[in-house]
Amino acid sequence: MVEKVADRSSVGVGLIGFGTIGTGVAKVLRQNADVIEQRLGFPLRLVRIADLDLETDRRVDLTDIRFDADSAGLIADPEVDIVIELIGGYDVAKRMILDSIDAGKHVVTANKALLALHGREIFASAAKAGVDVAFEAAVGGGIPILRSLREGLAANHIESVLGILNGTTNYVLTEMERTGEAFEVVLKRAQDLGYAEADPSFDVDGIDAAHKLALLAAMAFGAELTHEQIPTEGIRALTPVDFELAAEFGYRIKLLGIAKCHRDVAGNERIEVRVHPTMVPAGSMLAGVDAAMNAVEVIGDAVGPTLYYGAGAGELPTASAVVADLMEIAREIRRGGSGPVAPLSYMPDHLVPKPLFPMSELRGRAYLRFTAVDRPGVLSHITGALGEQGIGIESVVQKGSGTAGDSVPVILLTHPTSESALQAALESVDRLDDVTAPTVMVRIEEEL
Ligand code: HSE
């Protein structure tokens, strides 16, 4: 592989999947060919593109690029040194990546869902074949967060990685807060803007953020885990009143992915991972991250806190990360490198399952929105259930008053309490006759 291209004047790239991101990649390779060559010392040549849709006009200059539906031909093409997989999904994408690896091709992908599920198999095949699998675009869109963890922060024990990892939900939350519009209306707008995953539940139910957090936890702590092990809550249950009250209490609501490493004095580690809507102090840096932007805070024991901010989704920002991967691999090919070292930042034998820190051990304040019939005595039933679990109450607000029999939102802020007490209290509250819909809880993170 390395010898084959060493005497060529360019490195050849094949792109499978000519959708939003693929179009961005073709544009960046074309528009920024000058700076790419000035940095590499040789050009990156987009040799072929494969996609089933040959009709849509992507408004990209395809001169000298073969464009057809023949992905197998692309993978086998000796002019192609690096295959970019941008079709997304699981089965077909996985087969194409493994076929490319078997053909001795390096692979660049943005497919966090696939890596979070089948990463182990894919990285093992790549290591065996001596090729790279790069995936900067899988997390944080255009932000070079994976490269920062793998290279810039490589000297640190990482203490925590947390942030806004999904552009679609951040856009939806920002717009719901700004306009007071319903969730579905704003989600449709995000999809029209091209931020959303093919399956919108991946975004709004927090699954996409969990896929990304699984990759971040691997790179930060050497913790092998799948997204299914990450307690995950999405944003569907939030309504405009939550944003209104959050503002009154001095917070904004963000969907956070949180990964922390708890080390005891003996050096034993437990990994805390979770994805859920979170109230963050209105003056914090994460609170200022709006629309489809992402931001990730990483704390390392030597470096202290660091913050990474940028476009987390969208055609050109994501393409920026894909092309950066192409350039890194192309340099490696030219250098005659001997294949991947540690794509997930730790050597494979140090990437292992680690004990998880259970949610029940979390402590913090919480925002609770009950939906209850507006009649005398209801509040005391609710506060009674909280009191039984030893949960102290900091504020209570009732929004609106219904005519007899109507349900109204009743909002409480708790004092710091344990997650297990909260869960037990909510279970009893939601069984009360006066309570007519499941209670919505938003955890509060103060230390941001
Ligand atoms: N659907 C993802 C997001 C795309 O909204 O962040 C980038 O991973």
Side-chain angles (χ1 to χ4, degrees), residues 225-245:
L225 77 167
T226 67
H227 74 279
E228 282 124 344
Q229 293 171 274
I230 301 179
T232 301
E233 293 169 19
I235 64 165
R236 284 183 205 265
L238 297 171
T239 58
V241 75
D242 300 318
F243 296 91
E244 208 183 294
L245 266 296

Side-chain angles (χ1 to χ4, degrees), residues 112 138 165-168 195-197 203 208 212 312-313:
K112 53 260 168 185
L165 303 176
N166 183 270
T168 304
Y195 300 146
E197 295 297 313
D203 292 305
D208 176 70
K212 292 167 176 168

Side-chain angles (χ1 to χ4, degrees), residues 302-326:
V303 72
T306 61
L307 188 70
Y308 308 82
Y309 168 84
E315 181 188 287
L316 292 180
T318 310
S320 160
V322 170
V323 175
D325 278 347
L326 293 175

